[in-house]
Amino acid sequence: MIYLINNETPFPSPDTASEEGIVAFGGNLNPARLVEAYSQGIFPWYNEGEPVLWWCPDPRFVLFPEKLHISKNMRKLLRKAPYRVTYNRCFTEVMQQCATVPRKDQHGTWIHPELIEAYTTLHQQGIAYSVEVWQDETLVGGLYGLQIGRIFCGESMFSKQPNASQYGFITFLQAHPHIALVDCQIHSEYLESLGAEEIPRATFLKLLTINR
């Protein structure tokens, strides 16, 4: 059973999620509702024009910063420092680039205008953050996500130059040692290569409670 909810309905327990990880559907991306969801380990993921789907998959894909894997080639790139990294300088543009820059084996995007508007509001409230990677004055990479206590909920990243998003991600973690966990949500080979791993949903929710 998947619950139909509105913005006044409490989220069902993640333990009631479907096999795919869907907790509920319905409501909208009210900023307060988004914070409530992420604080419970739930996030929205749906296509434009469809009802909001709220997810909490099991297992959960996460990265412990102390397990971050930096390849030899990436270490060389970090030493050369060909890019400049900033934070929260152009949040909406980072989201727009994440939505439009092509990715291997990906068709279309789930980052649609409704989502961009909602997360930009969270950014204005100091909850959502962006990392920008520059080559001279050109934006060539970046990522964005939400901060829930000591957990960074990573949403998406993009690169227009080799390893630009990875460069931004690594330097972001190095500059923010207070982050205890990066929530990557669902598995990707790319993030697995950086050290991300799957853990039981119950373990993730305990870590969320401890670090919230």
Side-chain angles (χ1 to χ4, degrees):
M1 179 183 295
I2 301 175
Y3 292 87
L4 171 63
I5 62 173
N6 58 40
N7 281 351
E8 285 70 48
T9 309
F11 284 106
S13 167
D15 293 335
T16 67
S18 68
E19 183 176 350
E20 298 86 358
I22 302 173
V23 175
F25 70 99
N28 59 42
L29 302 183
N30 178 285
R33 190 62 159 168
L34 281 170
V35 173
E36 180 186 357
Y38 278 91
S39 296
Q40 298 177 45
I42 298 167
F43 60 89
W45 186 27
Y46 66 105
N47 294 319
E48 186 175 14
E50 297 179 352
V52 181
L53 291 178
W54 300 96
W55 297 74
C56 189
D58 187 17
R60 192 72 164 227
F61 198 52
V62 304
L63 188 146
F64 295 93
E66 64 272 18
K67 295 183 179 181
L68 176 66
H69 173 70
I70 305 175
S71 68
K72 289 183 179 179
N73 287 338
M74 197 64 210
R75 290 182 189 277
K76 291 179 182 178
L77 189 68
L78 289 165
R79 286 195 297 269
K80 291 180 179 178
Y83 303 127
R84 177 171 55 91
V85 178
T86 60
Y87 305 116
N88 301 313
R89 179 167 162 181
C90 49
F91 180 89
T92 302
E93 184 176 353
V94 168
M95 280 200 73
Q96 291 169 340
Q97 294 289 343
C98 286
T100 57
V101 172
R103 292 178 178 82
K104 182 181 177 181
D105 300 326
Q106 178 176 309
H107 305 284
T109 180
W110 54 272
I111 305 173
H112 43 75
E114 182 181 22
L115 210 70
I116 293 173
E117 181 180 359
Y119 284 74
T120 296
T121 300
L122 288 180
H123 169 65
Q124 293 165 350
Q125 295 176 353
I127 299 167
Y129 300 86
S130 62
V131 178
E132 301 93 20
V133 182
W134 305 86
Q135 191 170 55
D136 297 324
E137 296 303 314
T138 302
L139 183 66
V140 295
L143 60 120
Y144 76 96
L146 278 70
Q147 186 83 35
I148 303 294
R150 297 179 64 218
I151 293 183
F152 182 74
C153 305
E155 287 296 312
S156 188
M157 56 177 61
F158 78 95
S159 286
K160 289 185 171 181
Q161 290 294 332
N163 297 312
S165 62
Q166 186 177 163
Y167 188 98
F169 181 61
I170 291 171
T171 55
F172 169 70
L173 288 181
Q174 291 174 337
H176 297 79
H178 64 281
I179 293 175
L181 185 71
V182 177
D183 177 22
C184 306
Q185 300 175 346
I186 59 173
H187 177 268
S188 78
E189 291 184 2
Y190 174 69
L191 290 173
E192 185 176 25
S193 72
L194 298 181
E197 61 189 276
E198 291 182 331
I199 62 174
R201 176 170 58 209
T203 302
F204 169 76
L205 294 175
K206 287 180 182 177
L207 290 169
L208 179 62
T209 299
I210 294 169
N211 291 286
R212 197 158 49 199

